[in-house]
Amino acid sequence: MARFVLPALLCTLAALSAAPLAAELKSKSCSEVRRLYVSKGFDKNDAPTHEINGDHLKICPQGYTCCSQEMEEKYSLQSKDDFKSVVSEQCNHLQAVFASRYKKFDEFFKELLENAEKSLNDMFVKTYGHLYMQNSELFKDLFEELKRYYVAGSVNLEEMLNDFWARLLERMFRLVNSQYHFTDDYLECVSKYTEQLKPFGDVPRKLKLQVTRAFVAARTFAQGLAVARDVVSKVSVVNPTAQCTHALLKMIYCSHCQGLVTVKPCYNYCSNIMRGCLANQGDLDFEWNNFIDAMLMVAERLEGPFNIESVMDPIDVKISDAIMNMQENSVQVSQKVFQGCGPPKPLPAGRISRSISESAFSARFRPFHPEERPTTAAGTSLDRLVTDVKEKLKQAKKFWSSLPSNVCNDERMAAGNGNEDDCWNGKGKSRYLFAVTGNGLANQGNNPEVQVDTSKPDILILRQIMALRVMTSKMKNAYNGNDVDFFDISDESSGEGSGSGCEYQQCPSELEYNATDHSGKSVSDKASSAGVPAGARPYLLLTVFCILSLVMQGEWR
């Protein structure tokens, strides 16, 4: 009998000792989970010290868990913040790129205009002194209108330039016919012969074409940088849906509830969740890529025939060319005007001012030396700015379709792409078996991780798509040389091809006139290259402004 009692006693003792051991095995320590939870600023009293029954969990896997109900709720909010932070970091870098480039371009274009005006003003003040100052408002108004167009776009460049030449013709016609008195009605008649007589030669037509194309391209390009900056800024603020938030919680923190604090989410698992949560952002990609392509096209124009720096740098010489053309052809122009508008009334003999030879004005033409010409913004050049921004534009292409992958490439969000077995798949530490869905809202119907309503696109995203579409259209018009707001800018531009502008190898000869000499030639070098001897040009200009001053003095007395 005793031999049966002893084994039974031993079995009883073993069973009694095994019960606490089994309970201990089931109730593992949650110390590391608790430590990480508290490190995020949460209340340590929320976190159990050992595993508890997980029936209270709504999103994370139930069973034995290290997460209380309060922990799951706080982790849910934290997962939203983590997601928004990583997305924001990705977008903020791109937004900063466009913001800094826009600021640089804007500074450059504005300073370029300031410098061109200062260059012209300084040249004529030093050359003609008071004579120029009496008529400087004509040129000041020209630059004010160019600035207003760049800043606000509320200027029809063609009409503005036509008005400038009409006002200059009025001054010049009085100048070369100083022995006559002209009424306003007579001068209005004179202006009707402007196109027929071409008193300023071909300069107004060429300059109008060059200025319009260059300014439209420059302003539109700067606008494009600003639009890109604003689109990225607005889209970077993400507001996850409830379904997305559940998926984020499950991906980022539910592994902690099982004590797997060092196991990161599987890369493909992360990819599916990001594509679901960023489905609307993915729909930006098509219009975004079209916009980037259009920006790159306009950038090519800025480097080539529409280079605003090449137009504005020699504008003082071009206006001088126009004045010389008028002065040299004044007799023929005047005769034809007198035939069409009738003979003007001569001024009384006492009102005809003293001759030019009696004038005390004796200034000499002194062109700028290259080193005296003002530099543009920060001493840079348009070519350097464009080269830099082109590289950034190329890097920004496909940004939105790449955003989910870029987020998952962040080590805080997922395991490496090669670590497919030792990663969190939403249920445990194992390989993730589902295929990765495509980008965009339409592809999320079969997303295994995030329930997405594919019938309700995001209104904010739709607005940004429209903004990109409108800006892309403006870019294409600027590329073709068309004013964004006033499309029919000139007959010349519409006759150069079927809406493609002039290609580099096919540009008409007038663009050769627009070539900028970057070798450091002075203004007199530029002037002599136009076909008028450098020595003769200053004296012709002196004659023009002397007569102009004398006539005005006679009328103001």
Side-chain angles (χ1 to χ4, degrees):
M1 184 74 178
R3 72 179 173 179
F4 294 106
V5 172
L6 184 59
L9 181 61
L10 291 173
C11 288
T12 302
L13 291 173
L16 290 173
S17 63
L21 180 61
E24 181 67 22
L25 288 172
K26 289 183 179 179
S27 182
K28 291 187 294 187
S29 173
C30 295
S31 59
E32 186 63 17
V33 175
R34 197 167 191 252
R35 185 187 67 78
L36 290 175
Y37 180 78
V38 172
S39 70
K40 291 185 177 293
F42 298 133
D43 188 351
K44 67 178 180 180
N45 294 323
D46 295 340
T49 57
H50 290 79
E51 285 185 332
I52 59 176
N53 188 289
D55 292 343
H56 57 274
L57 298 178
K58 297 178 181 179
I59 305 300
C60 295
Q62 296 179 342
Y64 285 99
T65 180
C66 285
C67 288
S68 64
Q69 183 178 345
E70 292 80 10
M71 289 178 69
E72 186 181 47
E73 290 172 355
K74 291 179 180 179
Y75 271 149
S76 179
L77 296 174
Q78 185 63 44
S79 64
K80 283 178 63 175
D81 290 342
D82 292 349
F83 168 70
K84 293 166 73 172
S85 176
V86 174
V87 172
S88 180
E89 285 177 18
Q90 293 286 334
C91 294
N92 285 349
H93 174 71
L94 185 64
Q95 192 264 350
V97 167
F98 283 114
S100 62
R101 270 55 182 187
Y102 167 75
K103 182 180 179 182
K104 194 69 174 176
F105 266 88
D106 188 58
E107 289 176 353
F108 177 85
F109 290 139
K110 288 178 179 177
E111 202 163 322
L112 181 66
L113 285 172
E114 294 288 344
N115 289 342
E117 181 177 13
K118 184 178 185 300
S119 176
L120 183 146
N121 186 71
D122 289 352
M123 179 197 299
F124 282 88
V125 166
K126 290 181 180 180
T127 304
Y128 309 113
H130 190 61
L131 294 174
Y132 165 69
M133 295 300 295
Q134 289 176 331
N135 302 280
S136 61
E137 83 282 352
L138 179 64
F139 303 97
K140 183 177 180 179
D141 290 346
L142 169 65
F143 283 98
E144 285 298 322
E145 289 296 286
L146 290 174
K147 293 173 191 174
R148 191 158 70 91
Y149 172 80
Y150 173 73
V151 172
S154 56
V155 176
N156 186 318
L157 288 175
E158 180 181 10
E159 291 180 0
M160 183 273 292
L161 290 168
N162 287 342
D163 181 64
F164 167 76
W165 293 114
R167 292 174 64 192
L168 185 57
L169 174 62
E170 178 182 330
R171 303 285 179 99
M172 290 294 298
F173 192 78
R174 283 175 168 172
L175 179 150
V176 297
N177 294 284
S178 57
Q179 69 273 33
Y180 298 108
H181 171 71
F182 299 104
T183 63
D184 291 340
D185 290 339
Y186 195 96
L187 291 173
E188 184 177 349
C189 178
V190 172
S191 66
K192 295 177 181 178
Y193 286 86
T194 303
E195 283 298 317
Q196 177 184 341
L197 299 177
K198 298 189 182 303
F200 298 112
D202 209 26
V203 174
R205 183 188 69 84
K206 292 176 179 178
L207 195 59
K208 179 171 66 176
L209 190 62
Q210 294 159 3
V211 166
T212 301
R213 287 175 163 177
F215 270 78
V216 168
R219 181 174 185 270
T220 307
F221 193 75
Q223 278 186 326
L225 292 172
V227 166
R229 173 201 64 194
D230 294 343
V231 166
V232 176
S233 177
K234 292 173 182 176
V235 176
S236 65
V237 181
V238 291
N239 293 301
T241 63
Q243 293 78 8
C244 171
T245 302
H246 292 164
L248 290 169
L249 166 62
K250 189 176 179 182
M251 181 186 89
I252 301 174
Y253 290 111
C254 282
S255 59
H256 289 209
C257 297
Q258 294 193 10
L260 303 174
V261 294
T262 61
V263 180
K264 296 180 180 180
C266 299
Y267 185 85
N268 287 349
Y269 175 45
C270 174
S271 295
N272 270 335
I273 291 177
M274 291 305 132
R275 293 189 182 204
C277 291
L278 298 170
N280 285 285
Q281 283 78 358
D283 284 342
L284 274 171
D285 210 52
F286 178 77
E287 289 298 338
W288 177 262
N289 292 338
N290 287 341
F291 165 78
I292 295 294
D293 288 339
M295 286 283 287
L296 288 169
M297 289 168 61
V298 175
E300 291 179 4
R301 290 299 204 215
L302 289 174
E303 290 178 317
F306 299 177
N307 187 316
I308 192 173
E309 198 171 18
S310 298
V311 173
M312 294 309 297
D313 183 54
I315 197 170
D316 44 14
V317 174
K318 294 179 181 182
I319 293 175
S320 296
D321 289 337
I323 292 174
M324 297 320 314
N325 280 321
M326 174 63 187
Q327 202 264 353
E328 291 164 0
N329 298 298
S330 60
V331 175
Q332 299 92 319
V333 170
S334 298
Q335 288 177 348
K336 291 181 180 179
V337 169
F338 294 160
Q339 291 174 5
C341 299
K345 294 180 180 179
L347 284 172
R351 293 193 59 188
I352 299 178
S353 302
R354 61 187 178 181
S355 65
I356 297 172
S357 60
E358 295 172 337
S359 174
F361 184 78
S362 59
R364 294 295 301 273
F365 181 82
R366 191 189 71 81
F368 279 113
H369 293 295
E371 63 273 10
E372 292 179 310
R373 270 207 181 282
T375 58
T376 50
T380 187
S381 70
L382 184 61
D383 288 341
R384 285 197 291 271
L385 287 175
V386 171
T387 298
D388 170 67
V389 83
K390 278 173 64 178
E391 186 62 31
K392 302 302 181 185
L393 286 168
K394 291 174 183 177
Q395 294 172 4
K397 197 167 182 181
K398 297 183 178 180
F399 175 81
W400 302 108
S401 60
S402 302
L403 184 58
S405 298
N406 289 335
V407 170
C408 292
N409 285 333
D410 191 309
E411 62 179 9
R412 294 170 294 178
M413 299 300 288
N417 203 2
N419 187 7
E420 298 179 1
D421 293 317
D422 297 326
C423 57
W424 172 254
N425 65 6
K427 296 179 180 179
K429 181 180 177 182
S430 183
R431 177 183 289 266
Y432 183 72
L433 300 177
F434 293 101
V436 177
T437 61
N439 279 300
L441 194 62
N443 289 317
Q444 301 312 308
N446 296 320
N447 191 313
E449 305 302 335
V450 186
Q451 185 180 351
V452 180
D453 187 348
T454 59
S455 66
K456 294 182 179 179
D458 187 278
I459 298 301
L460 174 66
I461 299 296
L462 291 179
R463 287 174 179 166
Q464 304 318 305
I465 289 174
M466 183 56 65
L468 290 171
R469 191 172 295 167
V470 169
M471 199 65 229
T472 299
S473 177
K474 290 184 177 183
M475 287 287 171
K476 290 179 179 178
N477 279 308
Y479 175 79
N480 292 329
N482 297 326
D483 196 327
V484 170
D485 298 313
F486 306 97
F487 295 106
D488 298 326
I489 59 169
S490 67
D491 294 336
E492 291 87 347
S493 63
S494 62
E496 288 183 359
S498 56
S500 62
C502 68
E503 299 298 334
Y504 298 136
Q505 68 272 22
Q506 298 173 342
C507 287
S509 58
E510 64 221 53
L511 290 173
E512 296 174 7
Y513 178 91
N514 187 30
T516 300
D517 188 348
H518 294 288
S519 62
K521 289 185 178 181
S522 66
V523 174
S524 61
D525 295 327
K526 295 178 184 177
S528 62
S529 67
V532 179
R537 187 170 297 268
Y539 300 106
L540 290 172
L541 288 173
L542 281 174
T543 302
V544 168
F545 278 94
C546 286
I547 296 174
L548 177 60
S549 178
L550 294 172
V551 170
M552 292 304 174
Q553 289 174 6
E555 290 189 355
W556 290 337
R557 287 173 182 168

